[in-house]
Amino acid sequence: MGILCFLLFCLKMGITSLYNKIMDKIQKFQQALLNWYEGNARILPWRDDPSPYRVWISEIMLQQTRVEAVKPYFERFLQEVPAILDLAALPEDRLMKLWEGLGYYSRARNLKKAACMVMGQYHGRLPSDRKSLQTLPGIGPYTSGAIASIAFGAKEPAVDGNVLRVLARLSGNRGDLKDKTVRKDLNALAARLLFRQEPGNFNQAMMELGALLCIPNGRPKCGECPVQSFCEACHQDAVDQIPRKTRKAKRKMENRTVFVIRFQDRIALRKRQEQGLLSGLWEFPNRYGHLSPEEIGKVLTEWGICPETITPLPDAKHVFSHLEWHMKGYAVRVRGRKETCSFVWARQEEIHHSYSVPSAFHAYLKALGKV
C-alpha cells in the first residue's frame, strides 16, 4: 500500500498514531513540490497579479484550451474588459468577437451572465467562498476551488484533469477517472494533501506538475519529478497504465459545402441559431453535404443569388470535440440578388473587426482577399 493510500486508510480507521507518523511524509511531499514550483513555474500573465477577476477570466479561458493559446486572448480581453462592471455591460456581439477562435463559446456567455449576477447580488465583487462561487454560471467545483484558493487564499483544493492524473499516479489508483467513486477518493486525497499555509501556490504546483512533468499517454518525465519517491505508480513501474485509459467515442463525420459569396464589395454572412453548435455566431452560408454543381445552382437560386462565377476554394477540415466537418468551399461572384435574400452583407474589414466568425470557417476567412 502506497504512502498516500495508507494515509486515507489511517484516517478512515481512526488510527491517529499512524496518521501522525505519515504526516511527516506528507509535509516532505508538500515542501518538495513547492520548492520545485518556485523554481520551475511558467511565467503566465494571470500569475503576475492574481486578483479575483483576473484569476476568474484565466480559469474560464483555460477550460479545455491550451495555455499557449490562451495567453494572447487573456491580454487582449483584459485590455478591453478590465473589470466585472465592464464585462457586465459588454454587448454580446463584442464579447463573441473578443472570444473568436477560443471555442466553447458558452463559456463567454456564462462569463457575462455571471458578471451580471455579481453586479446585482454581490455588489460588483466576486464572492470569496467556494459555495457562493458555484452559484455563478460556468463555475463548477474545480474553478471555484481555483479562484477561492489562488485569489482569496481559501484552504480549498482545486482538482482539474491534470491534478486527477497526478493523484491517481501518486496513489497507484488504477480506476477509471470518469468513475464517480474514483474521483471522490482522489478529491478527498487532494484535500488531505493540501498545504494550508499556501493553498493557492500548492494547487498551482499540482497543476503545473501535471502540465509539465506528469503528462498523459505514458510519457511522464519521472526522472525530473520532485516527488518521484512518493509515487506509487512509479514504484510499481505502472506509470503507463495509470490512470486507466478509456476508449474515446469516435467523432461523427459531417460533410459541408461552404459559400463565400461576394456582391460588389460585400460578403454574405448569416447568424447561426441561438441554440446548438456555435450558437449565435456568424458564418458563411453553407449546406449539409458535398453538393454537386446542379445542387449548388439550386441552392443559390433558393437563396435569391444570381451568380456570375463559381470558383472552387481549397477543401478544409475542422475538428470539434465530438464532430468533424469536412468542407468543400466555393467563391461566388454575384451578378444580382433578390430583395428577399436574407443574408447580412458586410465589407471585409467589418468581418475582421466586428463579426464573430468561429475558427471552423477561418480557412475561408483567409480567402476573402482572393474572392
Side-chain angles (χ1 to χ4, degrees):
M1 183 181 293
I3 291 173
L4 303 180
C5 291
F6 192 53
L7 171 62
L8 286 179
F9 172 77
C10 292
L11 290 168
K12 288 178 180 178
M13 299 300 293
I15 309 174
T16 55
S17 59
L18 291 176
Y19 171 79
N20 289 334
K21 289 181 180 179
I22 207 166
M23 276 306 298
D24 178 59
K25 296 286 187 182
I26 297 304
Q27 289 167 5
K28 289 178 180 177
F29 167 85
Q30 294 168 337
Q31 198 58 58
L33 181 63
L34 285 168
N35 288 344
W36 170 83
Y37 177 70
E38 184 178 348
N40 295 275
R42 289 169 292 180
I43 298 173
L44 302 174
W46 44 89
R47 284 178 177 165
D48 295 339
D49 173 19
S51 65
Y53 179 69
R54 290 170 63 87
V55 172
W56 174 37
I57 298 299
S58 69
E59 288 296 339
I60 299 299
M61 286 186 170
L62 287 164
Q63 291 173 0
Q64 298 177 292
T65 308
R66 294 179 300 105
V67 167
E68 291 304 314
V70 166
K71 283 181 182 179
Y73 281 92
F74 178 82
E75 299 277 22
R76 185 166 63 247
F77 193 92
L78 266 291
Q79 286 177 2
E80 185 164 337
V81 194
I84 292 175
L85 175 64
D86 305 300
L87 177 55
L90 189 68
E92 183 165 319
D93 280 346
R94 185 56 190 161
L95 173 62
M96 291 296 102
K97 187 62 183 177
L98 288 171
W99 206 268
E100 182 183 288
L102 266 179
Y104 300 98
Y105 289 85
S106 60
R107 295 179 296 172
R109 293 189 176 91
N110 281 333
L111 269 176
K112 181 174 170 63
K113 290 177 185 177
C116 292
M117 285 181 61
V118 171
M119 294 303 300
Q121 299 179 23
Y122 297 102
H123 310 289
R125 293 179 176 273
L126 205 64
S128 60
D129 65 286
R130 191 169 195 163
K131 184 177 180 180
S132 297
L133 283 165
Q134 288 190 45
T135 66
L136 301 175
I139 297 183
Y142 159 72
T143 305
S144 62
I147 295 171
S149 62
I150 298 169
F152 296 105
K155 298 175 179 60
E156 297 283 0
V159 182
D160 66 354
N162 278 328
V163 174
L164 278 174
R165 182 173 61 255
V166 169
L167 292 168
R169 285 174 172 160
L170 284 170
S171 60
N173 192 316
R174 293 174 179 265
D176 187 340
L177 294 185
K178 293 183 179 180
D179 184 273
K180 290 183 179 180
T181 301
V182 172
R183 294 172 74 93
K184 183 179 179 181
D185 286 346
L186 294 177
N187 273 276
L189 182 56
R192 294 298 180 184
L193 292 177
L194 183 67
F195 185 63
R196 298 179 184 278
Q197 282 70 39
E198 298 180 45
N201 281 342
F202 183 82
N203 284 333
Q204 289 183 93
M206 288 287 285
M207 298 176 211
E208 202 80 336
L209 186 68
L212 299 182
L213 300 184
C214 198
I215 53 181
N217 302 323
R219 299 180 287 105
K221 302 174 184 178
C222 297
E224 302 174 38
C225 179
V227 292
Q228 180 186 17
S229 62
F230 300 89
C231 180
E232 189 62 22
C234 193
H235 293 162
Q236 296 177 14
D237 194 23
V239 291
D240 58 338
Q241 302 167 32
I242 299 175
R244 182 193 301 173
K245 297 174 180 63
T246 53
R247 184 174 296 177
K248 292 183 179 180
K250 287 186 177 180
R251 293 191 188 97
K252 178 183 176 183
M253 305 297 177
E254 190 172 288
N255 294 331
R256 287 196 167 263
T257 303
V258 180
F259 299 91
V260 182
I261 305 172
R262 179 182 287 274
F263 179 65
Q264 296 175 355
D265 65 341
R266 295 175 183 266
I267 305 292
L269 293 175
R270 68 182 181 188
K271 200 166 192 179
R272 292 180 65 85
Q273 295 180 350
E274 293 300 326
Q275 294 182 345
L277 183 68
L278 304 177
S279 58
L281 301 177
W282 293 91
E283 67 177 0
F284 297 113
N286 62 89
R287 278 292 176 89
Y288 181 81
H290 289 161
L291 304 185
S292 68
E294 294 78 13
E295 290 170 323
I296 289 171
K298 289 180 181 179
V299 166
L300 294 175
T301 299
E302 177 187 321
W303 286 340
I305 297 295
C306 180
E308 181 177 338
T309 61
I310 302 174
T311 307
L313 293 170
D315 293 351
K317 181 177 80 170
H318 186 78
V319 179
F320 300 94
S321 60
H322 63 294
L323 176 69
E324 281 188 24
W325 278 1
H326 293 258
M327 294 172 281
K328 288 188 175 296
Y330 294 89
V332 180
R333 286 274 183 172
V334 175
R335 182 185 302 116
R337 56 178 181 168
K338 293 182 179 179
E339 290 185 5
T340 55
C341 183
S342 60
F343 300 140
V344 169
W345 298 86
R347 293 186 179 90
Q348 183 175 334
E349 59 270 20
E350 291 176 328
I351 294 174
H352 287 302
H353 291 98
S354 301
Y355 290 87
S356 52
V357 179
S359 57
F361 297 99
H362 274 196
Y364 299 108
L365 273 175
K366 294 177 181 178
L368 287 183
K370 303 175 183 178
V371 174

